[in-house]
Amino acid sequence: MAGQGKGESHGVDDAALHQDGPIRDDGTRRVRVVVSGRVQGVFFRATCATEADDAGVSGWVRNRADGRVEAVFEGRPAAVAQMVAWMRHGPPEARVDAVAVTEEPAAEPVARGPGFVVLR
């Protein structure tokens, strides 16, 4: 898109980039993030999983049939915010044109036990 540089994300709720949002009784937060641009075939999922593991976030990431990448992050609010911020630029070869962040309700955990997985 013209006028959009790498890392710019239009349509993102800036509050979702911070630590606020629904927090469960156990102190965790969950968000779903969908990114578009040049995000498939550039090690986006693998790098995302490494970043999420380093941040201590649970959840998953997958390629979508429409060419976007979707992820769910759950963990400490600061760690979830860190992952949302990372999704705005992704790995070096990626070009992120847009990021959509949706807060998910405080329900049961997104994954059984700690960890982050790459879905096919």
Side-chain angles (χ1 to χ4, degrees), residues 39-62:
V39 294
Q40 291 189 13
V42 293
F43 299 100
F44 204 105
R45 291 178 302 153
T47 308
C48 178
T50 299
E51 294 287 329
D53 283 339
D54 289 349
V57 173
S58 295
W60 51 263
V61 63
R62 68 178 176 181

Side-chain angles (χ1 to χ4, degrees), residues 53-116:
D53 283 339
D54 289 349
V57 173
S58 295
W60 51 263
V61 63
R62 68 178 176 181
N63 283 340
R64 292 173 46 140
D66 62 8
R68 296 183 291 173
V69 169
E70 177 180 24
V72 172
F73 302 112
E74 181 175 275
R76 293 177 293 100
V80 170
Q82 175 182 332
M83 289 308 303
V84 171
W86 182 86
M87 295 289 277
R88 294 182 77 171
H89 59 80
E93 297 301 315
R95 185 196 74 245
V96 175
D97 293 334
V99 177
V101 178
T102 306
E103 295 287 342
E104 297 236 321
E108 66 262 0
V110 70
R112 296 194 186 276
F116 195 85

